[in-house]
């Protein structure tokens, strides 16, 4: 059991839920409306997913400081604030696009690093900050206790 299990397990469940929910809805409506519905539904998911990601992309594209910073442009204050403020919306958009895009699903199954990282960070954007802070606090307590134990052991060995 690793440190990041409290993050990865909910993310895995979220991605499975989005995919299974979209599949169930598509199957149910397909029975009602015919076989061409699935492709239309997936196209709709992709379109809505991309649309949810557009505000952040637009704001970052208009950031003059980011263009001057080159490769480190993501650290520009405007881009950074945009990423933080719109992370949940962009994350939902990415997961929705993933649910409707067979190409992205194929890349994810094949182990494409960029797609896997994007999917992981999209899920992370939906995790409340209190959960992450609580995990970091527990880690800090564990390290502090371990250092104290080692120091006491060394102190007792010296006596």
């Amino acid at each position: 059991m690793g440190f990041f299990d409290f993050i990865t397990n909910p993310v895995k469940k979220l991605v499975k839920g989005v995919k299974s929910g979209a599949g169930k809805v598509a199957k149910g409506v397909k029975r009602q409306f015919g076989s061409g519905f699935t492709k239309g539904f997936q196209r709709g998911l992709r379109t809505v997913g991309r649309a949810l990601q557009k505000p952040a992309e637009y704001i970052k594209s208009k950031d003059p400081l980011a263009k001057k910073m080159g490769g480190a442009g993501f650290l520009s204050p405007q881009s950074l604030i945009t990423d933080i403020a719109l992370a949940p919306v962009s994350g939902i958009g990415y997961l929705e696009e993933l649910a409707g895009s067979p190409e992205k699903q194929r890349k994810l199954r094949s182990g494409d690093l960029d797609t896997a990282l994007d999917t992981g960070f999209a899920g992370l954007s939906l995790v409340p900050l209190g959960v992450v802070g609580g995990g970091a606090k527990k880690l800090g307590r564990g390290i502090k206790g371990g250092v104290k134990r080692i120091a006491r052991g060394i102190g007792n060995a010296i006596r």
Side-chain angles (χ1 to χ4, degrees), residues 40-113:
F41 185 74
Q42 287 181 337
R43 191 174 334 121
L45 279 175
R46 283 193 305 269
T47 304
V48 170
R50 288 184 191 130
L52 286 173
Q53 296 174 56
K54 286 295 180 191
E57 290 173 11
Y58 177 76
I59 293 171
K60 288 193 294 187
S61 73
K62 299 297 181 187
D63 186 5
L65 183 60
K67 293 173 186 169
K68 291 179 183 175
M69 292 175 72
F74 66 94
L75 292 174
S76 164
Q78 183 177 343
S79 295
L80 197 58
I81 289 171
T82 299
D83 282 338
I84 292 169
L86 296 177
V89 175
S90 296
I92 290 169
Y94 180 81
L95 292 174
E96 202 166 318
E97 184 180 358
L98 178 68
S101 173
E103 300 87 38
K104 282 197 180 204
Q105 292 173 13
R106 210 177 359 254
K107 281 184 176 181
L108 189 60
R109 263 189 306 254
S110 70
D112 180 44
L113 184 62

Side-chain angles (χ1 to χ4, degrees), residues 20-32 34 37-38 41-42:
S20 70
K24 288 178 184 175
V25 169
K27 285 179 185 176
V29 177
K30 183 178 175 181
R31 274 189 233 123
Q32 295 294 322
F37 177 77
T38 303
F41 185 74
Q42 287 181 337

